[in-house]
Amino acid sequence: MDNTLSHEQHAQIQAHIQAHQHVPGGLMPLLHAIQEDIGYVPETVYPDIAKALALSVAEVHGVVSFYHHFRTHPVGKHVLQVCRAESCQAMGSERLEAELKARLGVDYHQTTADGTLTLLPVYCLGNCGCSPAVMLDEEVYGRMNTQKVTELIAEVCHG
Amino acid sequence: MVKIYVPIDSTALSLGAERTAKKIIQEAQARGLEITLVRNGSRGLFWLEPLVEVESAQGRVAFGPVSPADVAGLFDAGFTQPLADQAKAHPLYLGLTEELAWLKKQQRLTFARVGITDPLSLEDYLAHDGYQGLKNALTMSGADIVKAVTDSGLRGRGGAAFPTGIKWNTVLNAPAEQKYVVCNADEGDSGTYSDRMIMEDDPFVLIEGMTIAGIAVGATQGYIYLRSEYPHALKTLNEAIRKANLAGYLGENIQGSGRTFHLEVRRAAGAYVCGEETSLLESLEGKRGLVRFKPPLPAIEGLFGKPTIVNNVISLATVPIILDKGAQYYADYGMGRSRGTLPIQLAGNLKHTGLVELAFGATLRELLYDYGGGSATGRPIRAVQVGGPLGAYLPESQFDTPLDYEEFGKIWAVVGHGGIVAFDDSVDMAKMARYAFEFCAEESCGKCTPCRIGSTRGVEVMDKIMLGNNRAKQVHLLRDLSDTMLNGSLCALGGMTPYPVLSALNHFPEDFGLSGKEAAA
């Protein structure tokens, strides 16, 4: 039993495990389902997942750690992804990254001191026609600069 | 009642289309005007997004870019009567959409409906020739469907440009009790967004293409392996699949034909290498996306060891029009062995970015200047990367190369997915070469040594070159390393990373602190 998880979260995870245990290739959709509900995939549930899907714990660990999308620790209330791919670089994303890191006081994969925002790099949001692009939670924003992202954070995270 | 269109495509949304749509509804209500608001896809003229269209007797009339602040003024100008003189005088008036130069010169086959229809309206899809291809396919033998795809000359939009029909034929002839169709919607190439647009703006065409593929080869289950970075596409596809099932276009006994095809979306998880077909299959099976040795080909032993078609979004979305209008109709577009059309995506530092679908054969110069309008910053365009992060960087002297798989091959470049990213003269090409290695190191699956180790060593070598540390020797090492990766990697990630690296070195040696002669040494 993971003390950092509530009873409700435990129940959610067990329900997802049950729902996915007989799905062909069900591990990926299961991990997505858990992360969508809990915000991350707690390492303490690896044994349960492994048992239900007839895998080893090492295999579950191997999958979670292979993919950039999955995380094993809680993140901030909001997630800001900044595109680092070529098209955004061509429109000044390097400067945007540096300025945002300085302004938020965090590096990539870190969360602001107040727990509001986690900063992540991303390689292409498919919004290359309006570079540089960022994604805040699940919404994409184009033609960004530090000022606009700061306003966006104020509006979405503190508004 | 006047119909007003506001796009729901991610790019339009990223520029505020949602707020514009809401404002239009509010403003119409406040004025007691009855309107129908349709959320269409994007026409692909991104510098004009949010592009609002109003229906008129002559066709749809465009206004753009329309911010929420512009909405009241547009109503004041009577834009619901868009052909009245007052509306025409509005600064955002653009005229009849179909007459816009950007659209008029295009040859839209795969993107014929994109921007025009409501992506989630099956009625709209059917009214615009949707499901005509499937209707024909249901009267044909599997072999005849495969022959049509082969005769059309359709090739995969990945680096290899492999003929789609040949892949299908292998699956058709592989005996098995279960076969699969897998759509590779995980190609995360920077500068490419045509997959995303198809999935968000005309999802039924992809569903139809996959259904035809299933019927052709006898596969009853399909998967769309979708990038996790595309949450809007995920929602749209799931809803479109639900509607297609309800209307009997998916599932058991499709349109009373006795044929079965089930379709499901599986969300990827941000690993670039899973755009490679064998990694993708591993991931679909619930494993780490490690590249598989080939042979066996996925067409023989693919998903769960069964014969599997793995095609890109654009290949599959192009199948319906081939089955509707015939192989010859499609093959009549294009040049040489590059048949049909290519949806080209203009990105990066360009004034007019967006989607252009043209027959193969257009030159880069035409696209960068006639369509793209030159750089966004007004400075000279210095380098252009075509075909994603593993594509070569081309200098100005190569801008007249026509977009054609073989012509690009001759200059050691790739067309790939048709993504074009422009850089102005402020770009540092040594930095871009370093980034290519860094990206490969970050995304390598780790199975083969050249990719896993080569990319990391590549970053180190680039750092030394950039510091001016024994440059000639380091450049020699860089070439040697690139050669090993090129010839020794298991898949295109390691095997093509030398394309951006060496093209940057060969065409822009000055950025590596070398004269042309030193670079060649």
PDB file of all heavy atoms in Angstrom, chain B residues 269-289:
ATOM      1  N   ALA B 269       3.530   7.430 -26.628  1.00  0.00           N
ATOM      2  CA  ALA B 269       3.971   8.039 -25.375  1.00  0.00           C
ATOM      3  C   ALA B 269       5.259   8.837 -25.531  1.00  0.00           C
ATOM      4  O   ALA B 269       6.128   8.832 -24.664  1.00  0.00           O
ATOM      5  CB  ALA B 269       4.109   6.973 -24.296  1.00  0.00           C
ATOM      6  N   GLY B 270       5.374   9.521 -26.661  1.00  0.00           N
ATOM      7  CA  GLY B 270       6.455  10.480 -26.798  1.00  0.00           C
ATOM      8  C   GLY B 270       7.829   9.906 -27.069  1.00  0.00           C
ATOM      9  O   GLY B 270       8.827  10.475 -26.643  1.00  0.00           O
ATOM     10  N   ALA B 271       7.901   8.778 -27.760  1.00  0.00           N
ATOM     11  CA  ALA B 271       9.197   8.246 -28.178  1.00  0.00           C
ATOM     12  C   ALA B 271       9.282   8.382 -29.694  1.00  0.00           C
ATOM     13  O   ALA B 271       8.523   7.744 -30.420  1.00  0.00           O
ATOM     14  CB  ALA B 271       9.352   6.793 -27.765  1.00  0.00           C
ATOM     15  N   TYR B 272      10.198   9.224 -30.158  1.00  0.00           N
ATOM     16  CA  TYR B 272      10.306   9.492 -31.596  1.00  0.00           C
ATOM     17  C   TYR B 272      10.540   8.217 -32.388  1.00  0.00           C
ATOM     18  O   TYR B 272      10.019   8.025 -33.475  1.00  0.00           O
ATOM     19  CB  TYR B 272      11.437  10.498 -31.857  1.00  0.00           C
ATOM     20  CG  TYR B 272      11.652  10.804 -33.322  1.00  0.00           C
ATOM     21  CD1 TYR B 272      10.826  11.705 -33.987  1.00  0.00           C
ATOM     22  CD2 TYR B 272      12.672  10.187 -34.042  1.00  0.00           C
ATOM     23  CE1 TYR B 272      11.002  11.971 -35.333  1.00  0.00           C
ATOM     24  CE2 TYR B 272      12.861  10.447 -35.383  1.00  0.00           C
ATOM     25  CZ  TYR B 272      12.027  11.350 -36.019  1.00  0.00           C
ATOM     26  OH  TYR B 272      12.208  11.606 -37.366  1.00  0.00           O
ATOM     27  N   VAL B 273      11.342   7.301 -31.820  1.00  0.00           N
ATOM     28  CA  VAL B 273      11.728   6.088 -32.550  1.00  0.00           C
ATOM     29  C   VAL B 273      10.513   5.220 -32.873  1.00  0.00           C
ATOM     30  O   VAL B 273      10.547   4.405 -33.802  1.00  0.00           O
ATOM     31  CB  VAL B 273      12.812   5.301 -31.768  1.00  0.00           C
ATOM     32  CG1 VAL B 273      12.220   4.595 -30.557  1.00  0.00           C
ATOM     33  CG2 VAL B 273      13.524   4.301 -32.673  1.00  0.00           C
ATOM     34  N   CYS B 274       9.405   5.400 -32.163  1.00  0.00           N
ATOM     35  CA  CYS B 274       8.207   4.610 -32.445  1.00  0.00           C
ATOM     36  C   CYS B 274       7.527   5.025 -33.745  1.00  0.00           C
ATOM     37  O   CYS B 274       6.536   4.421 -34.157  1.00  0.00           O
ATOM     38  CB  CYS B 274       7.241   4.657 -31.275  1.00  0.00           C
ATOM     39  SG  CYS B 274       7.865   3.760 -29.845  1.00  0.00           S
ATOM     40  N   GLY B 275       8.047   6.049 -34.408  1.00  0.00           N
ATOM     41  CA  GLY B 275       7.609   6.346 -35.764  1.00  0.00           C
ATOM     42  C   GLY B 275       8.218   5.346 -36.755  1.00  0.00           C
ATOM     43  O   GLY B 275       7.799   5.275 -37.906  1.00  0.00           O
ATOM     44  N   GLU B 276       9.214   4.607 -36.306  1.00  0.00           N
ATOM     45  CA  GLU B 276       9.806   3.532 -37.120  1.00  0.00           C
ATOM     46  C   GLU B 276       8.888   2.333 -36.968  1.00  0.00           C
ATOM     47  O   GLU B 276       8.468   1.997 -35.850  1.00  0.00           O
ATOM     48  CB  GLU B 276      11.220   3.226 -36.601  1.00  0.00           C
ATOM     49  CG  GLU B 276      12.075   2.419 -37.544  1.00  0.00           C
ATOM     50  CD  GLU B 276      11.786   0.927 -37.533  1.00  0.00           C
ATOM     51  OE1 GLU B 276      11.273   0.414 -36.519  1.00  0.00           O
ATOM     52  OE2 GLU B 276      12.068   0.274 -38.543  1.00  0.00           O
ATOM     53  N   GLU B 277       8.568   1.672 -38.098  1.00  0.00           N
ATOM     54  CA  GLU B 277       7.456   0.721 -38.051  1.00  0.00           C
ATOM     55  C   GLU B 277       7.639  -0.451 -37.085  1.00  0.00           C
ATOM     56  O   GLU B 277       6.685  -0.861 -36.432  1.00  0.00           O
ATOM     57  CB  GLU B 277       7.100   0.218 -39.453  1.00  0.00           C
ATOM     58  CG  GLU B 277       8.225  -0.497 -40.183  1.00  0.00           C
ATOM     59  CD  GLU B 277       7.779  -0.995 -41.557  1.00  0.00           C
ATOM     60  OE1 GLU B 277       6.635  -0.719 -41.972  1.00  0.00           O
ATOM     61  OE2 GLU B 277       8.589  -1.682 -42.216  1.00  0.00           O
ATOM     62  N   THR B 278       8.864  -0.974 -36.961  1.00  0.00           N
ATOM     63  CA  THR B 278       9.000  -2.136 -36.072  1.00  0.00           C
ATOM     64  C   THR B 278       8.985  -1.722 -34.600  1.00  0.00           C
ATOM     65  O   THR B 278       8.463  -2.447 -33.752  1.00  0.00           O
ATOM     66  CB  THR B 278      10.272  -2.954 -36.384  1.00  0.00           C
ATOM     67  OG1 THR B 278      11.422  -2.144 -36.179  1.00  0.00           O
ATOM     68  CG2 THR B 278      10.272  -3.472 -37.820  1.00  0.00           C
ATOM     69  N   SER B 279       9.517  -0.535 -34.286  1.00  0.00           N
ATOM     70  CA  SER B 279       9.429  -0.020 -32.907  1.00  0.00           C
ATOM     71  C   SER B 279       7.979   0.219 -32.550  1.00  0.00           C
ATOM     72  O   SER B 279       7.539  -0.055 -31.432  1.00  0.00           O
ATOM     73  CB  SER B 279      10.147   1.319 -32.767  1.00  0.00           C
ATOM     74  OG  SER B 279      11.446   1.229 -33.182  1.00  0.00           O
ATOM     75  N   LEU B 280       7.268   0.751 -33.529  1.00  0.00           N
ATOM     76  CA  LEU B 280       5.850   1.039 -33.336  1.00  0.00           C
ATOM     77  C   LEU B 280       5.094  -0.244 -32.973  1.00  0.00           C
ATOM     78  O   LEU B 280       4.267  -0.265 -32.059  1.00  0.00           O
ATOM     79  CB  LEU B 280       5.300   1.649 -34.624  1.00  0.00           C
ATOM     80  CG  LEU B 280       3.886   2.181 -34.661  1.00  0.00           C
ATOM     81  CD1 LEU B 280       3.752   3.207 -35.779  1.00  0.00           C
ATOM     82  CD2 LEU B 280       2.864   1.090 -34.881  1.00  0.00           C
ATOM     83  N   LEU B 281       5.401  -1.319 -33.678  1.00  0.00           N
ATOM     84  CA  LEU B 281       4.713  -2.581 -33.415  1.00  0.00           C
ATOM     85  C   LEU B 281       5.037  -3.099 -32.014  1.00  0.00           C
ATOM     86  O   LEU B 281       4.167  -3.591 -31.299  1.00  0.00           O
ATOM     87  CB  LEU B 281       5.086  -3.624 -34.480  1.00  0.00           C
ATOM     88  CG  LEU B 281       4.601  -3.292 -35.896  1.00  0.00           C
ATOM     89  CD1 LEU B 281       5.170  -4.283 -36.908  1.00  0.00           C
ATOM     90  CD2 LEU B 281       3.076  -3.291 -35.968  1.00  0.00           C
ATOM     91  N   GLU B 282       6.298  -2.966 -31.617  1.00  0.00           N
ATOM     92  CA  GLU B 282       6.688  -3.377 -30.262  1.00  0.00           C
ATOM     93  C   GLU B 282       5.870  -2.593 -29.232  1.00  0.00           C
ATOM     94  O   GLU B 282       5.374  -3.153 -28.260  1.00  0.00           O
ATOM     95  CB  GLU B 282       8.185  -3.107 -30.033  1.00  0.00           C
ATOM     96  CG  GLU B 282       9.113  -4.020 -30.804  1.00  0.00           C
ATOM     97  CD  GLU B 282       9.144  -5.439 -30.256  1.00  0.00           C
ATOM     98  OE1 GLU B 282       9.489  -5.606 -29.075  1.00  0.00           O
ATOM     99  OE2 GLU B 282       8.813  -6.365 -31.010  1.00  0.00           O
ATOM    100  N   SER B 283       5.749  -1.297 -29.487  1.00  0.00           N
ATOM    101  CA  SER B 283       5.021  -0.435 -28.564  1.00  0.00           C
ATOM    102  C   SER B 283       3.539  -0.830 -28.509  1.00  0.00           C
ATOM    103  O   SER B 283       2.945  -0.877 -27.428  1.00  0.00           O
ATOM    104  CB  SER B 283       5.172   1.025 -29.005  1.00  0.00           C
ATOM    105  OG  SER B 283       4.571   1.885 -28.077  1.00  0.00           O
ATOM    106  N   LEU B 284       2.963  -1.116 -29.669  1.00  0.00           N
ATOM    107  CA  LEU B 284       1.560  -1.552 -29.716  1.00  0.00           C
ATOM    108  C   LEU B 284       1.365  -2.854 -28.948  1.00  0.00           C
ATOM    109  O   LEU B 284       0.292  -3.127 -28.425  1.00  0.00           O
ATOM    110  CB  LEU B 284       1.122  -1.770 -31.168  1.00  0.00           C
ATOM    111  CG  LEU B 284       0.408  -0.629 -31.879  1.00  0.00           C
ATOM    112  CD1 LEU B 284       0.058  -1.050 -33.293  1.00  0.00           C
ATOM    113  CD2 LEU B 284      -0.852  -0.198 -31.140  1.00  0.00           C
ATOM    114  N   GLU B 285       2.416  -3.661 -28.903  1.00  0.00           N
ATOM    115  CA  GLU B 285       2.320  -4.917 -28.164  1.00  0.00           C
ATOM    116  C   GLU B 285       2.523  -4.703 -26.668  1.00  0.00           C
ATOM    117  O   GLU B 285       2.486  -5.646 -25.882  1.00  0.00           O
ATOM    118  CB  GLU B 285       3.355  -5.929 -28.699  1.00  0.00           C
ATOM    119  CG  GLU B 285       3.014  -6.406 -30.101  1.00  0.00           C
ATOM    120  CD  GLU B 285       4.022  -7.404 -30.655  1.00  0.00           C
ATOM    121  OE1 GLU B 285       4.947  -7.804 -29.914  1.00  0.00           O
ATOM    122  OE2 GLU B 285       3.884  -7.775 -31.836  1.00  0.00           O
ATOM    123  N   GLY B 286       2.761  -3.437 -26.285  1.00  0.00           N
ATOM    124  CA  GLY B 286       2.898  -3.113 -24.869  1.00  0.00           C
ATOM    125  C   GLY B 286       4.318  -3.196 -24.359  1.00  0.00           C
ATOM    126  O   GLY B 286       4.549  -3.342 -23.165  1.00  0.00           O
ATOM    127  N   LYS B 287       5.276  -3.109 -25.281  1.00  0.00           N
ATOM    128  CA  LYS B 287       6.682  -3.213 -24.873  1.00  0.00           C
ATOM    129  C   LYS B 287       7.423  -1.899 -25.090  1.00  0.00           C
ATOM    130  O   LYS B 287       6.861  -0.947 -25.614  1.00  0.00           O
ATOM    131  CB  LYS B 287       7.369  -4.311 -25.703  1.00  0.00           C
ATOM    132  CG  LYS B 287       6.714  -5.672 -25.586  1.00  0.00           C
ATOM    133  CD  LYS B 287       7.358  -6.620 -26.579  1.00  0.00           C
ATOM    134  CE  LYS B 287       6.523  -7.882 -26.754  1.00  0.00           C
ATOM    135  NZ  LYS B 287       6.848  -8.554 -28.018  1.00  0.00           N
ATOM    136  N   ARG B 288       8.684  -1.904 -24.702  1.00  0.00           N
ATOM    137  CA  ARG B 288       9.538  -0.759 -25.055  1.00  0.00           C
ATOM    138  C   ARG B 288       9.687  -0.759 -26.563  1.00  0.00           C
ATOM    139  O   ARG B 288       9.740  -1.811 -27.200  1.00  0.00           O
ATOM    140  CB  ARG B 288      10.920  -0.924 -24.411  1.00  0.00           C
ATOM    141  CG  ARG B 288      10.888  -0.946 -22.913  1.00  0.00           C
ATOM    142  CD  ARG B 288      12.143  -1.558 -22.363  1.00  0.00           C
ATOM    143  NE  ARG B 288      13.272  -0.659 -22.522  1.00  0.00           N
ATOM    144  CZ  ARG B 288      14.529  -1.022 -22.310  1.00  0.00           C
ATOM    145  NH1 ARG B 288      14.801  -2.252 -21.953  1.00  0.00           N
ATOM    146  NH2 ARG B 288      15.503  -0.154 -22.454  1.00  0.00           N
ATOM    147  N   GLY B 289       9.773   0.453 -27.130  1.00  0.00           N
ATOM    148  CA  GLY B 289       9.821   0.560 -28.588  1.00  0.00           C
ATOM    149  C   GLY B 289      11.196   0.285 -29.162  1.00  0.00           C
ATOM    150  O   GLY B 289      11.803   1.152 -29.786  1.00  0.00           O
TER     151      GLY B 289
END
